[in-house]
């Protein structure tokens, strides 16, 4: 019998990793994500795979976000040499994201080992290197949506558009075991309907088991009109106060969505005279990838922007400045008022956004806008929860900036979207909730039972079950 082990994103929203085992296809990983929150060196030192990477036959990747892909180089470093299946657009994004993550890790490790050397402590060995990133990319096999890929004589899978970020996929795995046909569907991260730039997530009709994300299982998102109005109000109020705006943003998806919304406000003459700084070399590179794969994006939105391969997305924002170098980033500090700074990381655990906090978070005239989910243990979550004192680079800072959250920017389906998506399966499959915190999962489970008489399971970390 096939078994599935939940090795990450079980009653939490990071570290997506699920191990499938069957005589039909061997051992397959659905995602190989990194846990986010806390220090990356400590995470990599403490996180074990709980399996031998050399015994894994293949990885099927839902999308490029690091909480789904970030440990691929470490998997390769420890001996995995099989194929990594994902969409072609995801391969392009991985080239950027995994390389950037490896660079940050190597720099942090170098600093940590210098500290250890001064203290006479044992030096840490790298858990992976940049060459492991290059090897992982080499092992990627990019596929088109709806392209069936045979794994073995008895197993094949197909990727469907998840509508979450560029290249994101729902995995449909079909296999024959002991003379019986079986189908497992892994939602990956599902996008919301009518999301900016993205197509709606695909609806599938049949499965024996569904692994469904539940990030926002306990809440709904504002619609596009309300979100744009809220953003406009926040910007107008901050402009009147003579302040600046800081927006921690994920390089993939969220940044491009923000540029779209700001472009809409500019076209409508509602953006005042803000100077907009995209202070993220990775987000700039990712925006170029979005332009390359424009055919995968929503036709309605790209037509609205008159977007084509000759006209970059950010051209719709003539007051946008791309801060590529560290000098570009530091120069933003000289802008006393009227700056919108979009920078990574999205959960504030690293990146240039922390340097902007250092310059501006103590000023009551400034505004900090969160546009994405903040996982437990991250600096972003601490700020969203109302912390008035934080530490940055070892120094204490008083939080006086206004804190705002724009839920309508989420790239995840809200509760109703999840309920509608799972309700398309007939007959009802066995449903397993993953990638969600317990409160969100309980709320979603209760609604599914009330409306569809659908009982779900919520596995804990490292739990296994027979399929």
């Amino acid at each position: 019998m096939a078994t599935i082990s939940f090795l990450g994103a079980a009653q939490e929203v990071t570290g997506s990793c699920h191990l499938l085992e069957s005589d039909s296809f061997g051992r397959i990983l659905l995602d190989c994500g990194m846990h986010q929150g806390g220090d990356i060196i400590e995470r990599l030192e403490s996180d074990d795979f709980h399996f031998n990477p050399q015994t894994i036959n293949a990885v099927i990747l839902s999308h490029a976000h690091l909480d789904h892909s970030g440990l691929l180089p470490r998997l390769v470093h420890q001996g995995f040499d099989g194929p990594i299946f994902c969409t072609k657009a995801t391969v392009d994004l991985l080239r950027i994201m995994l390389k950037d993550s490896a660079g940050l890790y190597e720099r942090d490790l170098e600093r940590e080992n210098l500290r250890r050397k001064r203290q006479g402590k044992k030096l840490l060995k790298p858990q992976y290197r940049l060459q492991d990133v290059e090897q992982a990319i080499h092992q990627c096999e990019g596929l088109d949506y709806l392209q069936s890929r045979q794994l073995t004589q008895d197993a094949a899978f197909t990727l469907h558009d998840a509508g979450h970020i560029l290249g994101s996929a729902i995995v449909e795995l079909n296999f024959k075991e002991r003379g019986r046909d079986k189908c497992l569907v892994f939602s990956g991260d599902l996008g919301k309907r009518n999301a900016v730039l993205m197509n709606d997530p695909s609806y599938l009709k049949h499965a024996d088991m569904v692994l469904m994300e539940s990030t926002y299982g306990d809440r709904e998102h504002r619609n596009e009109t309300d979100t744009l109005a809220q953003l406009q109000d926040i910007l107008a109020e901050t402009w009147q106060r003579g302040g600046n705006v800081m927006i921690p943003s994920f390089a993939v998806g969220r940044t491009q969505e923000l540029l779209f919304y700001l472009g809409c406000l500019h076209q409508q003459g509602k953006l005042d005279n803000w100077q907009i700084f995209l202070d993220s070399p990775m987000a700039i590179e990712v925006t170029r990838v979005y332009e390359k794969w424009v055919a995968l994006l929503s036709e309605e939105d790209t037509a609205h922007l008159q977007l084509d391969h000759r006209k970059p997305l950010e051209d719709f924002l003539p007051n946008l400045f791309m801060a590529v170098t560290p000098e570009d980033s530091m120069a933003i500090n000289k802008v006393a008022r009227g700056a919108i700074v979009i920078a990574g990381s999205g959960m504030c655990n690293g990146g240039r956004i922390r340097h902007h906090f250092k310059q501006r978070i103590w000023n009551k005239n400034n505004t900090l806008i969160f546009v994405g989910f903040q996982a437990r243990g991250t600096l972003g979550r601490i700020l969203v929860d109302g912390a008035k004192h934080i530490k940055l680079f070892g120094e204490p800072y008083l939080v006086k900036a206004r804190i705002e959250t724009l839920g309508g920017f989420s790239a995840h389906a809200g509760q109703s979207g999840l309920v509608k998506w799972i309700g398309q399966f007939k007959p009802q499959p066995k449903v397993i909730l993953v990638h969600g915190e317990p409160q969100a999962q309980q709320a979603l489970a209760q609604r599914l039972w009330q409306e569809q008489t659908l009982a779900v399971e919520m596995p804990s970390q490292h739990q296994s079950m027979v399929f």
Side-chain angles (χ1 to χ4, degrees):
M1 296 290 287
T3 61
I4 179 167
S5 301
F6 304 93
L7 305 179
Q11 299 186 24
E12 61 178 353
V13 296
T14 66
S16 179
C17 185
H18 312 293
L19 174 63
L20 301 179
E21 300 177 85
S22 170
D23 291 338
S24 299
F25 50 73
R27 310 183 88 203
I28 293 174
L29 287 185
L30 297 175
D31 286 347
C32 189
M34 178 183 294
H35 282 86
Q36 295 181 298
D39 181 80
I40 185 172
I41 296 174
E42 292 178 0
R43 292 199 307 270
L44 288 176
E45 288 294 319
S46 61
D47 280 354
D48 294 320
F49 280 127
H50 299 279
F51 56 82
N52 182 352
Q54 297 180 28
T55 66
I56 301 298
N57 299 100
V59 176
I60 305 178
L61 194 64
S62 65
H63 64 286
H65 276 152
L66 291 178
D67 62 324
H68 294 257
S69 70
L71 289 186
L72 287 173
R74 187 182 183 191
L75 191 74
V76 168
H77 185 79
Q78 294 188 14
F80 169 69
D81 60 1
I84 300 168
F85 298 110
C86 57
T87 65
K88 293 176 181 177
T90 294
V91 177
D92 282 350
L93 292 175
L94 287 175
R95 288 190 178 97
I96 299 169
M97 300 188 69
L98 294 181
K99 182 179 178 180
D100 180 82
S101 178
L104 292 173
Y105 169 58
E106 288 186 343
R107 289 193 290 274
D108 285 352
L109 184 63
E110 182 179 2
R111 284 194 293 267
E112 173 63 19
N113 277 335
L114 282 174
R115 186 182 67 82
R116 285 173 169 260
K117 187 175 182 180
R118 289 194 299 266
Q119 296 175 350
K121 294 182 179 179
K122 182 180 178 181
L123 301 186
L124 298 176
K125 294 182 179 180
Q127 296 293 325
Y128 69 90
R129 297 184 180 276
L130 189 57
Q131 53 261 41
D132 297 311
V133 171
E134 296 168 351
Q135 180 59 37
I137 299 300
H138 179 73
Q139 289 172 219
C140 285
E141 180 178 331
L143 304 172
D144 295 321
Y145 288 128
L146 304 181
Q147 175 186 348
S148 179
R149 176 60 164 83
Q150 205 74 26
L151 286 169
T152 65
Q153 182 178 348
D154 295 321
F157 72 93
T158 305
L159 302 179
H160 303 264
D161 194 344
H164 174 60
I165 63 168
L166 180 69
S168 60
I170 300 164
V171 180
E172 177 188 7
L173 175 64
N174 292 281
F175 60 101
K176 186 182 292 291
E177 189 176 58
R178 298 183 181 180
R180 178 190 165 195
D181 291 328
K182 294 184 177 182
C183 178
L184 180 143
V185 169
F186 172 47
S187 74
D189 284 356
L190 290 172
K192 62 182 180 181
R193 290 177 57 82
N194 302 314
V196 169
L197 296 179
M198 302 307 302
N199 296 307
D200 291 345
S202 301
Y203 287 122
L204 280 67
K205 303 294 185 181
H206 169 75
D208 299 295
M209 175 184 282
V210 177
L211 274 60
M212 183 174 74
E213 70 120 316
S214 51
T215 311
Y216 287 103
D218 59 345
R219 72 195 85 168
E220 306 290 0
H221 303 306
R222 286 186 174 222
N223 60 39
E224 178 180 339
T225 301
D226 291 344
T227 299
L228 194 57
Q230 185 185 5
L231 175 60
Q232 181 186 343
D233 289 344
I234 294 170
L235 294 179
E237 291 169 7
T238 308
W239 181 267
Q240 290 298 319
R241 293 198 306 270
N244 300 281
V245 172
M246 299 168 285
I247 308 180
S249 184
F250 298 98
V252 182
R254 199 59 42 81
T255 293
Q256 292 71 38
E257 188 176 1
L258 275 168
L259 295 180
F260 175 92
Y261 275 120
L262 291 170
C264 288
L265 290 177
H266 171 76
Q267 292 174 22
Q268 297 167 14
K270 299 177 180 178
L271 196 56
D272 292 313
N273 197 29
W274 287 101
Q275 298 179 70
I276 302 166
F277 298 91
L278 179 52
D279 190 15
S280 170
M282 183 167 66
I284 294 168
E285 287 189 72
V286 168
T287 300
R288 305 301 181 211
V289 175
Y290 266 66
E291 292 163 6
K292 173 183 175 181
W293 291 101
V294 64
L296 295 182
L297 303 177
S298 164
E299 290 184 11
E300 180 181 355
D301 289 338
T302 54
H304 171 70
L305 289 172
Q306 302 175 11
L307 181 65
D308 58 35
H309 291 288
R310 298 161 298 176
K311 193 172 184 64
L313 183 63
E314 67 272 13
D315 277 3
F316 295 92
L317 269 175
N319 50 347
L320 174 67
F321 177 77
M322 301 290 200
V324 177
T325 67
E327 291 75 20
D328 291 338
S329 180
M330 288 185 286
I332 300 171
N333 298 332
K334 298 176 183 178
V335 180
R337 57 169 292 172
I340 298 175
V341 183
I342 304 169
S345 66
M347 295 187 189
C348 312
N349 275 344
R352 295 182 177 180
I353 193 64
R354 294 168 69 98
H355 293 276
H356 294 293
F357 284 177
K358 181 179 176 181
Q359 298 293 327
R360 307 186 191 273
I361 203 165
W362 44 265
N363 188 329
K364 65 180 181 180
N365 292 328
N366 295 331
T367 301
L368 169 57
I369 304 177
F370 286 99
V371 293
F373 188 87
Q374 304 299 309
R376 287 176 297 185
T378 64
L379 176 58
R381 181 63 166 266
I382 291 169
L383 287 166
V384 167
D385 288 343
K388 297 302 180 184
H389 298 85
I390 60 172
K391 274 198 170 184
L392 296 168
F393 310 104
E395 298 291 331
Y397 284 84
L398 188 61
V399 179
K400 288 188 176 181
R402 178 178 173 184
I403 309 294
E404 296 282 355
T405 299
L406 290 181
F409 277 95
S410 176
H412 290 262
Q415 187 188 72
S416 294
L418 294 170
V419 170
K420 182 174 183 179
W421 186 81
I422 198 65
Q424 305 301 308
F425 289 89
K426 305 296 181 186
Q428 288 183 339
K430 183 174 183 178
V431 178
I432 313 296
L433 297 185
V434 296
H435 206 283
E437 294 180 355
Q439 178 181 341
Q441 293 185 335
Q442 290 289 349
L444 179 59
Q446 183 177 7
R447 181 169 173 184
L448 287 172
W449 177 252
Q450 290 173 343
E451 295 186 8
Q452 301 180 17
T453 323
L454 177 60
V456 303
E457 295 189 42
M458 296 164 278
S460 57
Q461 198 85 335
H462 306 305
Q463 182 178 335
S464 299
M465 61 179 63
V466 174
F467 168 41

